[in-house]
Amino acid sequence: MSGTLAIAGLGPGSEAMITPQVRAALDAATDVLGYIPYVARVAPRPGLVLHPSDNRVERERAADALDLAAQGRRVVLVSSGDPGVFAMAAAVFEVLESGPQAWDDVAIEVLPGITAMLAAAARAGAPLGHDFCAINLSDNLKPWDMIARRLRLAAEADFAMALYNPRSRARPDGLARALELLRTCCGPQRPTLFARAVSTPQEDLRIVSLAQAVPEMADMRTVVIVGSSQTRIVARAAGPLLYTPRSAGGVLA
Ligand code: SAH
């Protein structure tokens, strides 16, 4: 008897940003798997087995989730934000492609969540109001040269950029290199948002220019948004607003 696997996004941190669809899947689950701090966001209850696991064991975690579902359990695999953005959904499909036949009958569903860049953008205004891209600055799974090339080309194409995984203890220098490259390509005045722990009690937002941006403004709970050439900072009594107008290239709104 095959069970189900829901790969679910818990959003950026706040309870209020968990979708009703994800809430319903968690309420119906027999097993919840995920990275330790994310599983800690799921309340224990009778009939629910929590399986927290360490970072960097994504493939093993994905295989465990598929095994449990193949045994008939109702499994939810949790990610922060959206599970399809630098997270567990792709990890599941990576192991599924070469997995055992027992996984064939598992019903798999991906349940979206609010990804960090959207939560951060909403708190600051609308910096992603025109064309943008998202780049993962971690070089765990891709070479640094590829990251640098993507940053350069994104700057050339004048995208606003959301930079995920900007900094960790294992990679203290990448963000400094990325900021240096962006200062060269975009100039020192480009508006930049450092958004930390958005929607949690530790939330901290800073809007600076690229010239003022230093790596110490980010940690592993920070998403960085670098504006396009059109992105503007508007001073307001309640604090600065960051937004990118909907038109570009001389077309009038
Ligand atoms: N699947 C997640 C991203 C996982 S990668 C999502 O869709 O949001 C982890 C990175 O996400 C962190 O290094 C940070 O850049 C970003 N992030 C996750 N939660 C965040 C939050 N509450 N505030 C700011 N950035 C966050």
Side-chain angles (χ1 to χ4, degrees), residues 130 230 247-251:
H130 197 64
Q230 304 303 304
S247 59
V251 178

Side-chain angles (χ1 to χ4, degrees), residues 15 58 76 113 136 236:
E15 271 290 304
E58 286 96 349
V76 179
N136 187 344
R236 298 188 77 228

Side-chain angles (χ1 to χ4, degrees), residues 12 80-82 85-87 115-116 164-166 195 197-198 220-223:
S80 77
D82 181 272
V85 178
F86 310 131
T115 189
Y164 282 74
N165 284 309
V198 175
M220 57 194 293
R221 297 183 72 192
T222 306
V223 66

Side-chain angles (χ1 to χ4, degrees), residues 70-145:
Q71 289 160 26
R73 314 274 299 174
R74 279 189 306 279
V75 181
V76 179
L77 180 54
V78 292
S79 286
S80 77
D82 181 272
V85 178
F86 310 131
M88 285 308 297
V92 168
F93 299 130
E94 284 165 27
V95 301
L96 187 76
E97 269 204 279
S98 53
Q101 220 172 5
W103 292 348
D104 279 356
D105 296 330
V106 173
I108 302 175
E109 217 182 355
V110 182
L111 309 182
I114 298 177
T115 189
M117 69 177 174
L118 299 186
R123 292 290 287 125
L128 307 179
H130 197 64
D131 297 345
F132 65 91
C133 65
I135 300 179
N136 187 344
L137 288 196
S138 167
D139 59 0
N140 286 338
L141 297 173
K142 64 183 172 198
W144 174 259
D145 284 354

